[in-house]
Amino acid sequence: QVHLVESGGDLVQPGGSLTLNCVVSGLTFSEFSMGWFRQTPGKSREFVAAISHGAARSAYADSVKGRFIISRDNDQRTAYLIMNNLKPEDTAIYYCAADKIYHGTFNYPYDYWGQGTQVTVSS
């Protein structure tokens, strides 16, 4: 059975930083592209960042470009989202997702999803 477990969400002040982790089990992690998405109540899911299976390609939403970094460690079966200079509008539940195909910035329904971790940016 496939499991994606996010962690690292927290309450942080504007301008602060957080790193989200996504630990994956039940699939061959190195064969899957990974994505991060976010959602707030009453809004549709928003693409944040994606990374290809070998980390050769990555993509970011314009709203986070230059502030967020997506990375992965295939030995640790973990994907990361490093978030810097956080803004109140970054407040959301963040989800990681896995898919065999790299979709770039496309808001695609990935094959597998985690349960999400809450990020709140507030003073």
Side-chain angles (χ1 to χ4, degrees):
Q1 193 169 3
V2 177
H3 291 285
L4 284 72
V5 181
E6 303 95 336
S7 63
D10 205 346
L11 170 63
V12 63
Q13 292 188 343
S17 297
L18 279 178
T19 296
L20 304 184
N21 305 323
C22 174
V23 179
V24 180
S25 61
L27 53 76
T28 306
F29 182 72
S30 60
E31 294 181 355
F32 281 75
S33 293
M34 297 297 297
W36 285 95
F37 297 79
R38 65 188 182 186
Q39 191 167 19
T40 54
K43 293 189 177 181
S44 58
R45 183 186 64 214
E46 176 187 16
F47 166 80
V48 175
I51 189 167
S52 59
H53 66 93
R57 293 177 289 176
S58 61
Y60 297 90
D62 287 343
S63 59
V64 307
K65 204 172 291 183
R67 300 189 296 123
F68 290 12
I69 300 170
I70 187 171
S71 65
R72 64 188 297 157
D73 184 332
N74 285 350
D75 290 335
Q76 297 297 320
R77 308 171 63 84
T78 302
Y80 304 95
L81 186 67
I82 303 164
M83 305 186 293
N84 299 312
N85 190 22
L86 282 160
K87 304 176 181 181
E89 51 264 42
D90 294 318
T91 295
I93 298 174
Y94 282 72
Y95 300 89
C96 67
D99 198 280
K100 274 277 196 175
I101 299 173
Y102 176 68
H103 297 289
T105 59
F106 188 38
N107 193 351
Y108 189 85
Y110 281 42
D111 288 337
Y112 303 103
W113 293 82
Q115 293 300 306
T117 185
Q118 175 71 48
V119 172
T120 303
V121 185
S122 175
S123 54

